Amino acid sequence: MNDTQDRPGPAPAANPQWGGRFAAGPAAVMREINASIGFDRKLWRQDIAGSRAHAAMLARTGIIAAADADAIAGGLDAIAAEIEAGRFAFDEALEDIHMNIEARLALRIGEAGKRLHTARSRNDQVATDFRLWVRDAIDGLTAQVTDVMRAFAARAAEHAADPMPGFTHLQTAQPVTFGHHLLAYVEMLARDRGRLDDCRRRLNESPLGAAALAGTSFPIDRDMTATALGFDRPAANSLDAVSDRDFALEFLAAAAISAMHLSRFAEEVVIWCSAPYRFIRLSDAFTTGSSIMPQKRNPDAAELVRAKTGRITGALVGLLTVMKGLPLAYAKDMQEDKEGVFDAAAAWALALAATAGMVRDLTADTARMRALAGSGFATATDLADWLVRVLHLPFRDAHHVTGRIVALAEAKGVDLAGLSLADMQEVEPRITAAVFAVLSVEASVASRISFGGTAPANVAAAAARWIAALA
């Protein structure tokens, strides 16, 4: 996608190096590697929008006649209708979406169509189209992220007081509530949405009018085209305008981070659905069976969400690698900027939709979660805190005493609440029967009243705030 022209010359001899696919020789290889219409046709709406704005500006500034601009607008409308209806014949020989539309325009309206490319280059044209496409993608994905947040917040409100094991190192740590756990993903997704907002704000500058790299000698009005296309302003430097792909990289970075968040939840779904855990169940809508084991219910939706992360992260690394050694301004390497972005956007959208569906679909086994919430001596920290609060032990001493009591309980094969008062007093004689009030799962979660803590009242209030904010 640049303004180089194919130069006429003798047809090259066939070269067996290219194999049977390219019997015509190197010229066929060049055509194959050079053409982008196979994927950049996705930009047709943005390309037509940019051309409409450019033609109107050319007429307003007197660079082309108003009648020509009207003919261009009508021709572009007709081409849009053809593409929308699937009647447009894309031609690989024309390389890209820009030349395909421009050639079709000239066929439809004649000489006026050839005036459209005045004062612009395919370099600023593709940069504009791609920014518009990414901006549209951001708007759609922001809505999807918000929908997933709503799903998590609604289920969090439902399970604000239901205890489950909280983990560190995937080992039982302290009891939390299932609602609190779900709200953690609302916070992650809120940051994802913020990154999309930031990316959209930074990309919203118009490259149109930067031409090939140096601007143009025509008296164009870049503010007019920027406004017409919904940009905040024209890009300030023509070299940067045509060669910048930070907006695509930032979009992919936001996508990769969000996909990682979705993958973390997907991994938890896989674990929670497994027989040793049995925390949740997904319906037939989000699971599949086995071709040989009739008892199986596989959480394939979660596994595929987890896998999409690799594609999205790969797209980010791929584009970073493409851009890392490019001198200013445009280079044909940048043709490789789009496929990864298109694929990542589609994969992210699908992962978001699947995640929202699973969150709304899952059935939590709250009794099972509650039974395991106190396992692994999960209330040991509550015991240590009681020793500090009531017996005024320094925390490090309380930690040591609690460790000895845990070891005693482990040796007796009981949890902390299963020890007798006499057992505990063997370790610390000043312990009283009041300690048992803090050793239950319910007492543990209820005590975590600090801001952001797992106390059910905290969780219910936080869920309500998010539901209201996302309404």
Side-chain angles (χ1 to χ4, degrees), residues 278-362:
R278 301 196 313 276
F279 284 0
I280 66 169
R281 179 183 174 88
L282 293 174
S283 76
D284 294 349
F286 291 93
T287 57
T288 64
S290 164
S291 63
I292 190 172
M293 296 170 284
Q295 83 282 8
K296 293 294 292 298
R297 179 187 289 275
N298 299 322
D300 282 3
E303 292 171 11
L304 289 166
V305 167
R306 189 173 59 186
K308 295 294 183 189
T309 308
R311 296 176 69 135
I312 295 169
T313 303
L316 171 61
V317 174
L319 185 52
L320 283 167
T321 305
V322 166
M323 296 300 297
K324 71 174 181 61
L326 298 186
L328 295 179
Y330 183 88
K332 196 62 177 265
D333 309 52
M334 292 184 195
Q335 185 163 289
E336 295 296 318
D337 61 357
K338 293 167 200 64
E339 285 184 281
V341 170
F342 293 158
D343 184 72
W348 187 13
L350 190 56
L352 287 165
T355 302
M358 286 188 290
V359 171
R360 292 185 170 111
D361 178 77
L362 68 85

Side-chain angles (χ1 to χ4, degrees), residues 24 37 63 69 106 131 139 143 147 154 163 232 261 331 349 370 385 402 424:
I37 189 60
I63 297 171
R131 280 180 187 256
D139 291 344
D147 183 59
D232 294 330
H261 291 152
R370 167 64 184 80
D385 289 346
T402 300
M424 292 191 190

Side-chain angles (χ1 to χ4, degrees), residues 1-7 95-96 98-99 102 117 119-126 210-213 242 330-332:
M1 293 178 189
N2 60 20
D3 282 338
T4 58
Q5 301 294 320
D6 292 329
R7 292 177 173 81
E95 295 185 13
D96 56 37
H98 324 296
M99 295 305 295
E102 187 175 327
H117 206 54
R120 77 173 181 185
S121 158
R122 274 191 290 177
N123 295 351
D124 62 335
Q125 188 177 358
V126 66
L213 75 162
V242 298
Y330 183 88
K332 196 62 177 265

Side-chain angles (χ1 to χ4, degrees), residues 171-450:
Q171 306 296 310
T172 302
Q174 294 176 286
V176 297
T177 73
F178 188 40
H180 192 58
H181 195 113
L182 295 176
L183 281 180
Y185 287 99
V186 180
E187 298 293 334
M188 293 181 214
L189 288 159
R191 294 192 293 273
D192 295 338
R193 194 170 65 166
R195 276 181 279 271
L196 281 174
D197 290 343
D198 291 343
C199 179
R200 193 189 196 285
R201 185 176 65 255
R202 272 186 287 275
L203 76 74
N204 211 34
E205 296 183 346
S206 174
L208 196 57
L213 75 162
T216 177
S217 59
F218 289 95
I220 60 172
D221 185 344
R222 294 190 62 207
D223 288 298
M224 178 181 171
T225 51
T227 299
L229 293 171
F231 288 114
D232 294 330
R233 65 191 69 84
N237 182 283
S238 60
L239 286 165
D240 181 55
V242 298
S243 63
D244 169 48
R245 293 299 183 269
D246 288 1
F247 65 92
L249 289 166
E250 190 170 355
F251 172 75
L252 289 174
I257 294 170
S258 181
M260 174 269 294
H261 291 152
L262 300 180
S263 182
R264 294 182 73 181
F265 178 70
E267 172 70 6
E268 296 201 299
V269 168
V270 171
I271 292 169
W272 293 344
C273 285
S274 67
Y277 281 80
R278 301 196 313 276
F279 284 0
I280 66 169
R281 179 183 174 88
L282 293 174
S283 76
D284 294 349
F286 291 93
T287 57
T288 64
S290 164
S291 63
I292 190 172
M293 296 170 284
Q295 83 282 8
K296 293 294 292 298
R297 179 187 289 275
N298 299 322
D300 282 3
E303 292 171 11
L304 289 166
V305 167
R306 189 173 59 186
K308 295 294 183 189
T309 308
R311 296 176 69 135
I312 295 169
T313 303
L316 171 61
V317 174
L319 185 52
L320 283 167
T321 305
V322 166
M323 296 300 297
K324 71 174 181 61
L326 298 186
L328 295 179
Y330 183 88
K332 196 62 177 265
D333 309 52
M334 292 184 195
Q335 185 163 289
E336 295 296 318
D337 61 357
K338 293 167 200 64
E339 285 184 281
V341 170
F342 293 158
D343 184 72
W348 187 13
L350 190 56
L352 287 165
T355 302
M358 286 188 290
V359 171
R360 292 185 170 111
D361 178 77
L362 68 85
T363 300
D365 188 337
T366 55
R368 173 72 175 168
M369 289 185 184
R370 167 64 184 80
L372 292 179
S375 66
F377 311 105
T379 58
T381 306
D382 299 276
L383 171 57
D385 289 346
W386 185 89
L387 294 171
V388 171
R389 190 169 54 250
V390 176
L391 301 186
H392 306 296
L393 292 181
F395 182 79
R396 285 300 171 199
D397 291 346
H399 186 283
H400 180 73
V401 169
T402 300
R404 291 176 60 195
I405 292 173
V406 166
L408 179 62
E410 192 170 34
K412 289 179 174 287
V414 297
D415 60 18
L416 291 176
L419 289 172
S420 68
L421 179 60
D423 290 333
M424 292 191 190
Q425 288 175 336
E426 285 181 17
V427 178
E428 172 48 68
R430 291 177 292 167
I431 293 176
T432 69
V435 74
F436 290 100
V438 304
L439 297 182
S440 72
V441 166
E442 286 76 14
S444 177
V445 296
S447 72
R448 307 297 170 183
I449 57 173
S450 59

Side-chain angles (χ1 to χ4, degrees), residues 18-188:
W18 307 121
R21 172 74 184 276
F22 302 110
V29 173
M30 183 59 196
R31 177 168 162 175
E32 182 82 9
I33 198 171
N34 197 45
S36 58
I37 189 60
F39 54 86
D40 71 12
R41 65 181 64 187
K42 287 180 181 288
L43 300 175
W44 71 266
R45 289 184 178 85
Q46 292 77 23
D47 194 72
I48 287 175
S51 291
R52 283 194 185 109
H54 185 66
M57 181 275 296
L58 292 176
R60 175 80 66 83
T61 55
I63 297 171
I64 67 172
D68 286 341
D70 290 342
I72 289 169
L76 291 172
D77 287 344
I79 291 169
E82 286 180 12
I83 299 175
E84 193 77 68
R87 298 194 308 270
F88 189 93
F90 294 99
D91 185 355
E92 187 183 79
L94 293 171
E95 295 185 13
D96 56 37
I97 187 61
H98 324 296
M99 295 305 295
N100 268 262
I101 290 175
E102 187 175 327
R104 180 66 178 139
L105 181 66
L107 283 175
R108 289 193 68 95
I109 68 172
E111 203 66 26
K114 298 177 184 179
R115 301 187 190 281
L116 173 60
H117 206 54
T118 307
R120 77 173 181 185
S121 158
R122 274 191 290 177
N123 295 351
D124 62 335
Q125 188 177 358
V126 66
T128 301
D129 293 356
F130 197 22
R131 280 180 187 256
L132 290 172
W133 192 94
V134 171
R135 192 177 71 186
D136 290 342
I138 285 173
D139 291 344
L141 287 159
T142 298
Q144 280 197 266
V145 171
T146 301
D147 183 59
V148 182
M149 293 172 69
R150 289 192 190 104
F152 273 112
R155 298 313 300 270
E158 181 183 342
H159 293 288
D162 291 324
M164 70 173 289
F167 299 98
T168 61
H169 307 275
L170 204 58
Q171 306 296 310
T172 302
Q174 294 176 286
V176 297
T177 73
F178 188 40
H180 192 58
H181 195 113
L182 295 176
L183 281 180
Y185 287 99
V186 180
E187 298 293 334
M188 293 181 214

